[in-house]
């Protein structure tokens, strides 16, 4: 089955976005890739659903000040996990 979610996107990846009006791909738009704001060259008709697919970056921080590593061989190391926390609502 399909999965969808609604969230504010502030860091879309350039070249990965597709904007749809209802289920039809739209070409008359530009995106500010630092804010995620999409501006239409001609406003969509009233009542049209605006949807977007694409990739986006997620600002995170490390969740710990220490990371346990294992020395493999030579100059190779292994981390079993790197805990990260998403910075939601941070304005980034």
């Amino acid at each position: 089955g399909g999965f969808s979610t609604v969230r504010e996107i502030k860091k879309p990846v350039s070249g990965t976005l597709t904007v749809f009006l209802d289920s039809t791909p739209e070409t008359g738009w530009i995106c500010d890739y630092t804010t995620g704001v999409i501006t239409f060259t001609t406003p969509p008709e009233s009542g049209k659903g605006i949807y977007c697919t694409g990739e986006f970056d997620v600002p995170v921080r490390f969740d710990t000040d220490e990371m346990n590593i294992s020395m493999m061989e030579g100059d190779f190391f292994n981390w079993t996990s790197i805990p990260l926390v998403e910075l939601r609502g941070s304005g980034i």
Side-chain angles (χ1 to χ4, degrees):
F3 174 78
S4 67
T5 186
V6 176
R7 70 182 287 172
E8 186 175 355
I9 304 297
K10 294 187 177 182
K11 299 286 185 181
V13 176
S14 180
T16 67
L17 297 182
T18 302
V19 176
F20 297 88
L21 295 180
D22 289 334
S23 61
T24 305
E26 175 64 33
T27 58
W29 57 271
I30 57 171
C31 181
D32 180 336
Y33 289 97
T34 34
T35 63
V37 173
I38 293 174
T39 305
F40 290 93
T41 53
T42 302
E45 296 175 23
S46 180
K48 290 275 187 177
I50 301 170
Y51 306 95
C52 182
T53 62
E55 298 175 16
F56 59 95
D57 293 330
V58 178
V60 298
R61 68 171 174 79
F62 292 110
D63 190 32
T64 182
D65 292 329
E66 299 175 3
M67 289 190 283
N68 296 324
I69 63 169
S70 301
M71 186 170 189
M72 302 303 282
E73 57 181 74
D75 291 334
F76 294 101
F77 300 90
N78 182 42
W79 280 274
T80 55
S81 68
I82 301 175
L84 303 173
V85 176
E86 182 176 351
L87 301 175
R88 285 193 166 214
S90 62
I92 295 177

Coordinates of all heavy atoms in Angstrom, one line a residue:
G1 N 0.8 -1.2 0.0 CA 0.0 0.0 0.0 C 0.9 1.2 0.0 O 2.0 1.2 0.3
G2 N 0.2 2.3 -0.3 CA 0.9 3.6 -0.3 C 1.0 4.3 1.0 O 0.3 3.9 2.0
F3 N 1.9 5.2 1.2 CA 2.1 5.9 2.4 C 2.3 7.4 2.1 O 3.1 7.7 1.1 CB 3.4 5.4 3.2 CG 3.7 6.2 4.4 CD1 3.0 6.0 5.5 CD2 4.7 7.1 4.3 CE1 3.3 6.8 6.7 CE2 5.0 7.9 5.5 CZ 4.3 7.7 6.6
S4 N 1.7 8.3 2.8 CA 1.9 9.7 2.6 C 1.9 10.4 3.9 O 1.3 9.9 4.9 CB 0.9 10.3 1.6 OG -0.4 10.3 2.2
T5 N 2.5 11.5 4.0 CA 2.6 12.3 5.2 C 2.6 13.8 4.8 O 3.1 14.1 3.7 CB 3.8 11.9 6.1 OG1 3.6 12.6 7.4 CG2 5.1 12.2 5.5
V6 N 2.2 14.6 5.7 CA 2.3 16.1 5.5 C 3.2 16.7 6.5 O 3.1 16.4 7.7 CB 0.9 16.7 5.6 CG1 0.9 18.2 5.5 CG2 -0.1 16.1 4.7
R7 N 4.2 17.4 5.9 CA 5.1 18.1 6.8 C 5.7 19.3 6.1 O 5.7 19.3 4.8 CB 6.2 17.2 7.3 CG 7.2 16.8 6.2 CD 8.3 15.8 6.7 NE 9.3 16.5 7.5 CZ 10.2 15.9 8.2 NH1 10.3 14.6 8.1 NH2 11.1 16.5 8.9
E8 N 6.2 20.3 6.8 CA 6.8 21.4 6.2 C 8.2 21.1 5.7 O 9.0 20.5 6.5 CB 6.8 22.6 7.2 CG 7.3 23.9 6.6 CD 7.2 25.0 7.6 OE1 6.7 24.8 8.8 OE2 7.7 26.1 7.3
I9 N 8.5 21.4 4.5 CA 9.8 21.1 3.9 C 10.6 22.4 3.7 O 10.1 23.3 3.1 CB 9.7 20.3 2.6 CG1 8.9 19.1 2.7 CG2 11.1 20.1 2.0 CD1 9.5 18.0 3.6
K10 N 11.8 22.5 4.3 CA 12.5 23.7 4.2 C 13.8 23.6 3.4 O 14.5 24.6 3.1 CB 12.9 24.3 5.6 CG 11.6 24.7 6.4 CD 12.0 25.4 7.7 CE 10.7 25.9 8.4 NZ 11.0 26.6 9.6
K11 N 14.2 22.4 3.1 CA 15.5 22.1 2.4 C 15.3 21.1 1.3 O 16.0 20.1 1.3 CB 16.6 21.6 3.4 CG 16.9 22.6 4.6 CD 17.7 23.7 4.0 CE 18.2 24.6 5.2 NZ 19.0 25.7 4.8
P12 N 14.5 21.5 0.3 CA 14.4 20.5 -0.8 C 15.7 20.5 -1.6 O 16.4 21.4 -1.7 CB 13.2 21.1 -1.7 CG 13.2 22.6 -1.3 CD 13.7 22.7 0.1
V13 N 15.9 19.3 -2.2 CA 17.2 19.1 -3.0 C 16.9 19.6 -4.4 O 15.9 19.1 -5.1 CB 17.6 17.6 -3.0 CG1 18.8 17.4 -3.9 CG2 17.9 17.2 -1.5
S14 N 17.7 20.5 -4.9 CA 17.5 21.0 -6.3 C 17.5 19.9 -7.3 O 18.3 19.0 -7.3 CB 18.7 22.0 -6.6 OG 18.5 22.5 -7.9
G15 N 16.6 20.0 -8.3 CA 16.5 19.0 -9.3 C 15.7 17.8 -9.0 O 15.6 16.9 -9.9
T16 N 15.2 17.6 -7.8 CA 14.4 16.4 -7.5 C 12.9 16.6 -7.3 O 12.2 15.7 -7.1 CB 14.9 15.8 -6.1 OG1 14.6 16.7 -5.0 CG2 16.4 15.6 -6.2
L17 N 12.5 17.9 -7.4 CA 11.0 18.2 -7.1 C 10.2 18.0 -8.4 O 10.6 18.4 -9.5 CB 10.9 19.6 -6.6 CG 11.5 20.0 -5.3 CD1 11.2 21.4 -4.9 CD2 11.1 19.0 -4.2
T18 N 9.0 17.5 -8.1 CA 7.9 17.5 -9.1 C 6.7 18.0 -8.4 O 6.3 17.5 -7.3 CB 7.6 16.0 -9.7 OG1 8.8 15.5 -10.2 CG2 6.6 16.1 -10.7
V19 N 6.1 19.0 -9.0 CA 4.9 19.6 -8.4 C 3.7 19.2 -9.2 O 3.7 19.2 -10.5 CB 5.0 21.2 -8.4 CG1 3.7 21.8 -7.9 CG2 6.2 21.6 -7.6
F20 N 2.6 18.8 -8.5 CA 1.4 18.4 -9.2 C 0.2 19.3 -8.8 O 0.1 19.7 -7.7 CB 1.0 17.0 -8.7 CG 2.0 15.9 -9.1 CD1 3.1 15.7 -8.3 CD2 1.9 15.2 -10.3 CE1 4.0 14.7 -8.6 CE2 2.8 14.2 -10.6 CZ 3.9 14.0 -9.8
L21 N -0.7 19.6 -9.8 CA -2.0 20.2 -9.5 C -3.0 19.1 -9.7 O -3.1 18.6 -10.8 CB -2.2 21.4 -10.4 CG -1.3 22.6 -10.3 CD1 -1.7 23.6 -11.3 CD2 -1.3 23.1 -8.9
D22 N -3.6 18.7 -8.6 CA -4.4 17.5 -8.5 C -3.4 16.3 -8.9 O -2.4 16.1 -8.2 CB -5.6 17.5 -9.3 CG -6.7 18.4 -8.7 OD1 -6.7 18.6 -7.5 OD2 -7.5 19.0 -9.5
S23 N -3.6 15.6 -9.9 CA -2.7 14.5 -10.3 C -1.9 14.8 -11.5 O -1.2 14.0 -12.1 CB -3.5 13.2 -10.5 OG -4.4 13.4 -11.5
T24 N -1.9 16.1 -12.0 CA -1.2 16.5 -13.2 C 0.1 17.2 -12.9 O 0.0 18.2 -12.2 CB -2.1 17.4 -14.1 OG1 -3.4 16.7 -14.3 CG2 -1.5 17.7 -15.4
P25 N 1.2 16.7 -13.4 CA 2.5 17.5 -13.2 C 2.4 18.9 -13.8 O 1.8 19.1 -14.8 CB 3.5 16.7 -14.0 CG 2.9 15.3 -14.2 CD 1.4 15.5 -14.2
E26 N 2.9 19.8 -13.0 CA 2.9 21.3 -13.3 C 4.3 21.7 -13.6 O 5.2 21.3 -12.9 CB 2.3 22.1 -12.2 CG 2.3 23.5 -12.3 CD 1.4 24.0 -13.5 OE1 0.4 23.4 -13.8 OE2 1.8 25.0 -14.1
T27 N 4.4 22.6 -14.6 CA 5.8 23.1 -15.0 C 5.9 24.6 -14.7 O 7.1 25.1 -14.6 CB 6.1 22.8 -16.5 OG1 5.1 23.5 -17.3 CG2 6.1 21.4 -16.8
G28 N 4.9 25.3 -14.5 CA 4.9 26.7 -14.3 C 5.2 27.1 -12.8 O 4.3 27.8 -12.2
W29 N 6.4 26.8 -12.3 CA 6.7 27.1 -10.9 C 8.2 27.3 -10.7 O 9.0 26.8 -11.5 CB 6.1 26.1 -9.9 CG 6.7 24.7 -10.2 CD1 6.1 23.8 -11.0 CD2 7.8 24.1 -9.7 NE1 6.8 22.6 -11.1 CE2 7.9 22.8 -10.3 CE3 8.8 24.5 -8.8 CZ2 9.0 21.9 -10.0 CZ3 9.9 23.6 -8.5 CH2 9.9 22.3 -9.1
I30 N 8.6 28.0 -9.7 CA 10.0 28.0 -9.3 C 10.1 27.8 -7.8 O 9.1 28.0 -7.1 CB 10.6 29.4 -9.6 CG1 9.9 30.6 -9.0 CG2 10.7 29.6 -11.1 CD1 10.5 31.9 -9.1
C31 N 11.2 27.3 -7.3 CA 11.4 27.0 -5.9 C 12.6 27.7 -5.4 O 13.6 27.8 -6.0 CB 11.6 25.5 -5.7 SG 11.7 25.0 -4.0
D32 N 12.4 28.3 -4.2 CA 13.6 28.9 -3.4 C 14.1 27.7 -2.6 O 13.5 27.3 -1.6 CB 13.1 30.0 -2.5 CG 14.2 30.6 -1.7 OD1 15.2 29.9 -1.5 OD2 14.1 31.8 -1.3
Y33 N 15.2 27.2 -3.0 CA 15.7 25.9 -2.4 C 16.3 26.2 -1.0 O 16.7 25.2 -0.3 CB 16.7 25.2 -3.3 CG 16.0 24.6 -4.5 CD1 16.0 25.3 -5.7 CD2 15.4 23.4 -4.4 CE1 15.3 24.7 -6.8 CE2 14.8 22.8 -5.4 CZ 14.7 23.5 -6.6 OH 14.0 22.9 -7.7
T34 N 16.4 27.4 -0.5 CA 16.9 27.7 0.8 C 15.7 27.7 1.8 O 15.8 27.4 3.0 CB 17.6 29.0 1.0 OG1 17.1 30.0 0.1 CG2 19.1 28.9 0.7
T35 N 14.5 28.1 1.3 CA 13.3 28.1 2.2 C 12.3 27.1 1.9 O 11.4 26.8 2.7 CB 12.6 29.5 2.1 OG1 12.1 29.6 0.7 CG2 13.6 30.7 2.4
G36 N 12.3 26.5 0.7 CA 11.3 25.5 0.3 C 10.1 26.1 -0.2 O 9.1 25.4 -0.5
V37 N 10.0 27.4 -0.4 CA 8.8 28.1 -0.9 C 8.7 27.9 -2.4 O 9.7 28.2 -3.2 CB 8.8 29.6 -0.6 CG1 7.7 30.3 -1.2 CG2 8.8 29.8 1.0
I38 N 7.6 27.4 -2.9 CA 7.3 27.3 -4.3 C 6.4 28.4 -4.7 O 5.4 28.7 -4.1 CB 6.6 25.9 -4.6 CG1 7.6 24.8 -4.3 CG2 6.1 25.8 -6.0 CD1 7.1 23.4 -4.4
T39 N 6.8 29.1 -5.8 CA 6.0 30.2 -6.4 C 5.5 29.8 -7.8 O 6.3 29.4 -8.6 CB 6.8 31.5 -6.5 OG1 7.3 31.8 -5.1 CG2 6.0 32.6 -6.9
F40 N 4.2 29.9 -8.1 CA 3.7 29.6 -9.4 C 3.8 30.8 -10.3 O 3.5 32.0 -9.8 CB 2.2 29.1 -9.3 CG 2.1 27.8 -8.6 CD1 1.9 27.7 -7.3 CD2 2.2 26.6 -9.4 CE1 1.8 26.4 -6.7 CE2 2.0 25.4 -8.8 CZ 1.8 25.3 -7.5
T41 N 4.1 30.6 -11.6 CA 4.2 31.7 -12.5 C 2.7 32.2 -12.8 O 2.5 33.4 -13.0 CB 4.9 31.3 -13.8 OG1 4.3 30.2 -14.3 CG2 6.4 31.1 -13.6
T42 N 1.8 31.3 -12.8 CA 0.4 31.7 -12.9 C -0.3 30.9 -11.8 O -0.2 29.7 -11.6 CB -0.2 31.2 -14.3 OG1 0.5 31.8 -15.3 CG2 -1.7 31.5 -14.4
P43 N -1.1 31.7 -11.0 CA -1.8 31.0 -9.8 C -2.7 29.8 -10.3 O -3.4 30.0 -11.3 CB -2.6 32.1 -9.2 CG -2.0 33.4 -9.7 CD -1.4 33.1 -11.0
P44 N -2.6 28.7 -9.6 CA -3.5 27.6 -9.9 C -5.0 28.0 -9.7 O -5.3 28.9 -8.9 CB -3.1 26.5 -8.9 CG -1.9 26.9 -8.3 CD -1.8 28.4 -8.4
E45 N -5.9 27.3 -10.4 CA -7.3 27.5 -10.3 C -7.7 27.2 -8.8 O -7.1 26.3 -8.2 CB -8.1 26.5 -11.2 CG -7.9 26.8 -12.7 CD -8.6 25.7 -13.5 OE1 -9.6 25.1 -13.0 OE2 -8.2 25.5 -14.6
S46 N -8.7 27.9 -8.3 CA -9.2 27.7 -7.0 C -9.7 26.2 -6.9 O -10.3 25.7 -7.8 CB -10.3 28.6 -6.7 OG -10.9 28.4 -5.4
G47 N -9.4 25.6 -5.8 CA -9.8 24.2 -5.5 C -8.9 23.1 -6.0 O -9.1 22.0 -5.7
K48 N -7.8 23.5 -6.7 CA -6.9 22.5 -7.1 C -6.0 22.1 -6.0 O -5.5 22.9 -5.2 CB -5.9 23.0 -8.2 CG -6.6 23.3 -9.6 CD -6.6 22.0 -10.4 CE -7.2 22.3 -11.8 NZ -7.1 21.1 -12.6
G49 N -5.8 20.8 -5.8 CA -4.9 20.3 -4.8 C -3.4 20.4 -5.3 O -3.1 20.1 -6.4
I50 N -2.6 20.9 -4.4 CA -1.1 21.1 -4.8 C -0.3 20.1 -4.0 O -0.4 20.0 -2.8 CB -0.7 22.6 -4.4 CG1 -1.5 23.6 -5.2 CG2 0.8 22.7 -4.7 CD1 -1.3 25.0 -4.7
Y51 N 0.4 19.3 -4.8 CA 1.2 18.2 -4.2 C 2.6 18.3 -4.7 O 2.8 18.8 -5.8 CB 0.6 16.8 -4.5 CG -0.9 16.7 -4.1 CD1 -1.9 17.0 -5.0 CD2 -1.2 16.4 -2.8 CE1 -3.2 16.9 -4.7 CE2 -2.6 16.3 -2.4 CZ -3.5 16.6 -3.4 OH -4.9 16.5 -3.0
C52 N 3.5 17.7 -4.0 CA 4.9 17.8 -4.4 C 5.6 16.5 -4.0 O 5.4 15.9 -2.9 CB 5.6 19.0 -3.7 SG 7.3 19.2 -4.2
T53 N 6.5 16.0 -4.9 CA 7.3 14.8 -4.5 C 8.8 15.2 -4.8 O 9.0 16.2 -5.5 CB 7.0 13.6 -5.4 OG1 7.3 13.9 -6.8 CG2 5.6 13.1 -5.3
G54 N 9.7 14.6 -4.1 CA 11.1 14.9 -4.2 C 11.9 14.6 -3.0 O 11.4 14.0 -2.1
E55 N 13.1 14.9 -3.0 CA 14.0 14.7 -1.9 C 14.2 16.0 -1.1 O 14.1 17.1 -1.7 CB 15.4 14.2 -2.4 CG 15.3 12.9 -3.2 CD 16.7 12.5 -3.8 OE1 17.7 13.0 -3.4 OE2 16.6 11.6 -4.7
F56 N 14.6 15.8 0.2 CA 14.8 17.0 1.0 C 15.9 16.6 2.1 O 16.0 15.5 2.5 CB 13.6 17.5 1.6 CG 12.8 16.6 2.5 CD1 13.0 16.6 3.9 CD2 11.9 15.7 2.0 CE1 12.3 15.7 4.7 CE2 11.2 14.8 2.8 CZ 11.4 14.8 4.1
D57 N 16.6 17.6 2.5 CA 17.6 17.4 3.5 C 16.9 17.6 4.9 O 16.0 18.4 5.0 CB 18.8 18.4 3.4 CG 19.6 18.1 2.1 OD1 19.7 16.9 1.7 OD2 20.2 19.1 1.6
V58 N 17.4 16.9 5.9 CA 16.9 17.0 7.2 C 18.0 17.5 8.2 O 19.0 16.7 8.3 CB 16.3 15.7 7.7 CG1 15.8 15.8 9.1 CG2 15.2 15.2 6.7
P59 N 17.9 18.7 8.7 CA 18.9 19.1 9.7 C 18.9 18.2 11.0 O 17.8 17.9 11.5 CB 18.5 20.5 10.1 CG 17.5 20.9 9.0 CD 16.9 19.7 8.5
V60 N 20.1 17.7 11.4 CA 20.2 16.9 12.6 C 21.3 17.3 13.4 O 22.2 18.1 13.0 CB 20.3 15.4 12.2 CG1 19.2 14.9 11.4 CG2 21.6 15.2 11.4
R61 N 21.4 16.8 14.6 CA 22.5 17.0 15.5 C 22.9 15.6 16.1 O 22.0 14.7 16.1 CB 22.3 18.0 16.6 CG 21.2 17.5 17.6 CD 21.2 18.4 18.8 NE 20.1 18.1 19.7 CZ 20.1 17.1 20.6 NH1 21.2 16.3 20.7 NH2 19.1 16.8 21.4
F62 N 24.1 15.4 16.6 CA 24.5 14.2 17.3 C 23.7 14.1 18.6 O 23.5 15.2 19.3 CB 26.0 14.1 17.5 CG 26.8 14.0 16.2 CD1 27.6 15.0 15.8 CD2 26.7 12.8 15.5 CE1 28.3 14.9 14.6 CE2 27.5 12.6 14.4 CZ 28.2 13.7 13.9
D63 N 23.3 13.0 19.0 CA 22.5 12.8 20.2 C 23.5 12.4 21.4 O 23.0 12.2 22.5 CB 21.5 11.7 20.0 CG 20.5 11.6 21.2 OD1 20.2 12.7 21.8 OD2 20.1 10.5 21.5
T64 N 24.8 12.4 21.2 CA 25.7 12.1 22.2 C 27.0 12.8 22.0 O 27.3 13.2 20.9 CB 25.9 10.5 22.3 OG1 26.8 10.2 23.4 CG2 26.5 10.0 21.0
D65 N 27.8 13.0 23.1 CA 29.1 13.6 23.0 C 30.2 12.5 22.7 O 31.3 12.9 22.5 CB 29.4 14.4 24.2 CG 28.5 15.6 24.3 OD1 28.1 16.1 23.3 OD2 28.2 16.0 25.5
E66 N 29.8 11.3 22.9 CA 30.8 10.2 22.7 C 30.3 9.1 21.8 O 29.1 8.9 21.8 CB 31.1 9.5 24.1 CG 31.7 10.5 25.1 CD 31.9 9.8 26.5 OE1 31.6 8.6 26.6 OE2 32.3 10.5 27.4
M67 N 31.1 8.6 21.0 CA 30.7 7.5 20.1 C 31.7 6.3 20.3 O 33.0 6.5 20.2 CB 30.7 7.9 18.6 CG 29.6 8.8 18.3 SD 29.3 9.1 16.6 CE 30.7 10.3 16.3
N68 N 31.2 5.1 20.6 CA 32.1 4.0 20.8 C 32.5 3.4 19.4 O 31.6 3.2 18.6 CB 31.4 2.9 21.6 CG 31.1 3.3 23.0 OD1 31.9 4.1 23.6 ND2 30.0 2.9 23.5
I69 N 33.8 3.2 19.2 CA 34.3 2.7 18.0 C 35.0 1.4 18.2 O 35.5 1.2 19.3 CB 35.1 3.7 17.2 CG1 36.4 4.0 18.0 CG2 34.4 4.9 16.9 CD1 37.5 4.8 17.2
S70 N 35.1 0.6 17.2 CA 35.9 -0.6 17.2 C 37.0 -0.5 16.1 O 36.7 -0.1 15.0 CB 35.1 -1.8 16.9 OG 34.0 -2.0 17.9
M71 N 38.2 -0.8 16.5 CA 39.3 -0.7 15.5 C 39.3 -2.0 14.7 O 39.3 -3.1 15.3 CB 40.6 -0.5 16.2 CG 41.8 -0.3 15.2 SD 43.2 0.2 16.2 CE 44.3 0.6 14.8
M72 N 39.2 -2.0 13.4 CA 39.1 -3.1 12.6 C 40.5 -3.6 12.3 O 41.1 -4.4 13.1 CB 38.3 -2.9 11.3 CG 36.9 -2.4 11.6 SD 35.9 -3.5 12.6 CE 35.5 -4.7 11.4
E73 N 41.1 -3.1 11.3 CA 42.5 -3.4 10.9 C 43.1 -2.2 10.3 O 42.4 -1.5 9.6 CB 42.6 -4.7 10.0 CG 41.9 -4.6 8.7 CD 42.0 -5.8 7.9 OE1 41.3 -6.8 8.3 OE2 42.7 -5.8 6.9
G74 N 44.4 -2.0 10.5 CA 45.0 -0.8 9.9 C 44.4 0.5 10.4 O 44.2 0.7 11.6
D75 N 44.0 1.3 9.5 CA 43.3 2.6 9.8 C 41.8 2.5 9.6 O 41.2 3.5 9.3 CB 43.9 3.7 8.9 CG 45.3 4.0 9.2 OD1 45.7 3.8 10.4 OD2 46.1 4.5 8.4
F76 N 41.2 1.3 9.7 CA 39.8 1.2 9.6 C 39.1 1.1 10.9 O 39.5 0.3 11.8 CB 39.4 0.0 8.7 CG 39.9 0.1 7.3 CD1 41.1 -0.5 6.9 CD2 39.2 0.9 6.4 CE1 41.5 -0.3 5.6 CE2 39.6 1.0 5.1 CZ 40.8 0.4 4.7
F77 N 38.0 1.8 11.1 CA 37.3 1.8 12.4 C 35.8 1.5 12.0 O 35.3 1.7 10.9 CB 37.4 3.2 13.1 CG 38.8 3.5 13.4 CD1 39.6 4.2 12.5 CD2 39.4 3.1 14.6 CE1 40.9 4.6 12.8 CE2 40.7 3.4 14.9 CZ 41.4 4.2 14.0
N78 N 35.1 1.0 13.1 CA 33.7 0.7 12.9 C 32.9 1.3 14.0 O 33.2 1.2 15.2 CB 33.5 -0.8 12.9 CG 32.1 -1.3 12.7 OD1 31.4 -0.7 11.9 ND2 31.7 -2.2 13.5
W79 N 31.8 2.0 13.6 CA 30.8 2.5 14.6 C 29.6 1.6 14.5 O 29.1 1.4 13.4 CB 30.3 3.9 14.2 CG 31.3 5.0 14.6 CD1 31.3 5.6 15.8 CD2 32.3 5.6 13.8 NE1 32.3 6.6 15.8 CE2 32.9 6.6 14.6 CE3 32.7 5.5 12.5 CZ2 33.9 7.4 14.1 CZ3 33.7 6.2 12.0 CH2 34.3 7.2 12.8
T80 N 29.1 1.1 15.6 CA 27.9 0.3 15.6 C 26.6 1.2 15.3 O 25.7 0.7 14.8 CB 27.7 -0.5 16.9 OG1 27.7 0.4 18.0 CG2 28.8 -1.5 17.0
S81 N 26.7 2.4 15.8 CA 25.6 3.3 15.5 C 26.0 4.8 15.8 O 27.0 5.0 16.5 CB 24.4 3.0 16.5 OG 24.7 3.4 17.8
I82 N 25.4 5.7 15.1 CA 25.6 7.1 15.3 C 24.3 7.7 15.5 O 23.5 8.0 14.6 CB 26.3 7.7 14.0 CG1 27.6 7.0 13.7 CG2 26.5 9.2 14.2 CD1 28.3 7.5 12.4
P83 N 23.9 7.9 16.8 CA 22.6 8.5 17.1 C 22.4 9.9 16.7 O 23.3 10.8 17.1 CB 22.5 8.3 18.6 CG 23.9 8.1 19.1 CD 24.7 7.6 18.0
L84 N 21.4 10.2 16.0 CA 21.1 11.6 15.5 C 19.7 12.0 15.9 O 18.8 11.1 16.1 CB 21.2 11.6 14.0 CG 22.5 11.2 13.3 CD1 22.3 11.1 11.8 CD2 23.6 12.1 13.7
V85 N 19.5 13.3 16.1 CA 18.2 13.8 16.5 C 17.8 14.9 15.5 O 18.6 15.8 15.2 CB 18.2 14.5 17.9 CG1 16.9 15.1 18.2 CG2 18.6 13.4 18.9
E86 N 16.6 14.8 14.9 CA 16.2 15.7 13.9 C 15.9 17.1 14.6 O 15.3 17.1 15.7 CB 14.9 15.2 13.2 CG 14.4 16.2 12.2 CD 13.2 15.7 11.4 OE1 12.8 14.5 11.6 OE2 12.6 16.4 10.6
L87 N 16.3 18.2 14.0 CA 16.1 19.5 14.5 C 14.8 20.1 13.9 O 14.8 20.8 12.9 CB 17.3 20.4 14.2 CG 18.6 20.0 14.7 CD1 19.7 20.9 14.2 CD2 18.6 19.9 16.2
R88 N 13.7 19.7 14.4 CA 12.4 20.1 13.9 C 12.0 21.5 14.5 O 12.3 21.8 15.7 CB 11.3 19.1 14.3 CG 11.3 17.9 13.5 CD 10.0 17.1 13.6 NE 10.0 16.1 12.6 CZ 8.9 15.8 12.0 NH1 7.7 16.2 12.4 NH2 8.9 14.9 11.1
G89 N 11.4 22.3 13.7 CA 11.0 23.6 14.1 C 12.1 24.6 14.5 O 11.9 25.5 15.2
S90 N 13.3 24.3 14.0 CA 14.5 25.1 14.4 C 14.7 26.3 13.5 O 15.5 27.1 13.8 CB 15.7 24.2 14.4 OG 16.0 23.7 13.1
G91 N 13.9 26.4 12.5 CA 14.0 27.5 11.5 C 15.2 27.3 10.6 O 15.6 28.2 9.8
I92 N 15.8 26.1 10.6 CA 16.9 25.8 9.7 C 16.4 25.4 8.3 O 15.5 24.7 8.2 CB 17.8 24.7 10.3 CG1 18.5 25.2 11.6 CG2 18.9 24.3 9.3 CD1 19.3 24.2 12.3

